[in-house]
Amino acid sequence: MDFGVNLLNFGTGTTPASLAQQALDARDFGYTFAMISDHIAVTADVDAVYPSPFYDQFALAAFLAGRVPGLTLGTSVTVVPYRHPLHTARLAANVDQLCEGGFILDAGIGWSEPEFEVLGVEFKDRGRISDEYLAVIRGAWREDPYSFRGAYVSFDGVRTSPAPASRPGIPVWVGGDSPAALRRAARFGEAWHPYKPSVRRLRAALPVLAAEADAAGRAAPALAPRLHLRVTERPLGEDRPAGHGTSDQIRRDLWALAELGATHVLFDTYAGFPELTRGTAREDRALLERVVTRFVDPVSGTPR
């Protein structure tokens, strides 16, 4: 397995220097990839969870590409309906060209209805929009010039170069764990990227994902979960998210992921609410160092 870090690109005290240091720490600890979250219009509901300032994921990836060689960069997730698909395709391809470690585009449909309203995108259509836009993004990476006719976008003869540097192409991961998200991952993804899954939930979902991929005439996507880290003194219940619990429970989670065939594991130190965070970059750094000294071996790609 490859192990990665979700960079905290938001909140008081976040600066270009602190963001570069997060990425440097991740690389120096042995993590092989780093992912960046997405919001464009930080509405009140978004700010309550991911407080401003909020650094743009593509701009930040381009910034880090020239300062932290050796890391693969990516998004967790890009909210696909927020941008015209040609814009997303171009941004991703450009960053993939700029980053020697390559780029991963992780796609999601979004959750903030007020943010959709500000951006003038129909919240109720976000799933259908995402499916069409993902088809456009893949097409734009393959063809130059490129033409498309769809329900939400149509165009003829648009130049899309530079193409991605990665071969056979930029990996697309698909987030979410709803039935629609599993279908989307099966149709468009190289990997499925669930957030805070329990091991039990993964065991139940993977056969569904494989069946959806078979129906779509594709190989089943790889498993690449994002684990929120929460180390406790006392054991938690078995339905807890993977990555929550005692050190022994977290080790068992990671071995279970290896047995399920996970190719990547993304570690996230953010608790999801500002008042529950540890509050300092030093503490986040210490937790990520603890992971590689006690839970995983980045060199062998195995749990400890």
Side-chain angles (χ1 to χ4, degrees):
M1 292 186 288
D2 284 333
F3 302 108
V5 173
N6 199 61
L7 302 179
L8 305 185
N9 58 321
F10 53 85
T12 302
T14 302
T15 65
S18 74
L19 291 162
Q21 190 63 53
Q22 286 183 55
L24 285 167
D25 288 343
R27 184 196 65 186
D28 293 347
F29 287 148
Y31 295 97
T32 60
F33 67 104
M35 309 288 268
I36 306 165
S37 299
D38 189 27
H39 283 286
I40 294 178
V42 183
T43 49
D45 60 328
V46 173
D47 191 62
V49 184
Y50 302 105
S52 61
F54 199 106
Y55 282 77
D56 177 81
Q57 58 181 190
F58 289 105
L60 177 55
F63 170 79
L64 294 175
R67 288 165 175 78
V68 192
L71 272 182
T72 298
L73 298 172
T75 62
S76 179
V77 299
T78 294
V79 184
V80 174
Y82 284 174
R83 301 170 182 83
H84 192 287
L86 289 178
H87 189 202
T88 302
R90 179 173 292 280
L91 288 168
N94 274 237
V95 175
D96 189 59
Q97 285 277 351
L98 295 169
C99 182
E100 67 176 29
F103 190 72
I104 299 165
L105 180 70
D106 186 4
I109 68 170
W111 57 267
S112 171
E113 190 165 358
E115 188 170 13
F116 274 81
E117 183 176 355
V118 168
L119 295 171
V121 182
E122 284 289 343
F123 183 75
K124 63 180 176 60
D125 292 340
R126 67 195 190 283
R128 291 186 291 273
I129 293 171
S130 294
D131 289 348
E132 181 172 300
Y133 281 17
L134 283 169
V136 173
I137 290 164
R138 283 200 175 278
W141 290 338
R142 292 191 306 264
E143 300 178 31
D144 182 31
Y146 181 50
S147 301
F148 184 86
R149 283 285 179 271
Y152 298 99
V153 290
S154 296
F155 50 85
D156 289 305
V158 176
R159 293 286 181 180
T160 60
S161 61
S166 294
R167 293 289 180 266
I170 294 174
V172 174
W173 295 4
V174 177
D177 60 2
S178 68
L182 291 173
R183 287 193 296 273
R184 190 171 297 113
R187 290 177 59 198
F188 298 107
E190 276 71 52
W192 176 44
H193 184 62
Y195 174 55
K196 290 177 69 173
S198 67
V199 171
R200 180 178 300 180
R201 199 168 89 209
L202 291 175
R203 291 190 195 280
L206 287 175
V208 178
L209 182 67
E212 292 286 0
D214 186 62
R218 300 182 74 235
L223 174 61
R226 174 173 161 185
L227 305 188
H228 167 239
L229 286 169
R230 179 188 168 205
V231 185
T232 63
E233 295 298 323
R234 296 185 178 183
L236 301 180
E238 287 307 310
D239 283 332
R240 66 196 160 75
H244 284 206
T246 64
S247 295
D248 285 343
Q249 285 183 308
I250 294 172
R251 287 191 193 93
R252 288 200 299 271
D253 291 338
L254 292 166
W255 279 112
L257 292 175
E259 291 167 4
L260 290 171
T263 59
H264 296 72
V265 176
L266 180 67
F267 293 108
D268 189 348
T269 63
Y270 181 57
F273 298 96
E275 64 272 17
L276 298 179
T277 59
R278 282 166 298 283
T280 71
R282 181 178 297 177
E283 288 169 317
D284 283 326
R285 184 183 189 278
L287 180 56
L288 292 174
E289 185 173 17
R290 182 180 181 183
V291 168
V292 296
T293 56
R294 297 183 60 180
F295 299 149
V296 303
D297 179 2
V299 176
S300 67
T302 60
R304 293 190 184 276

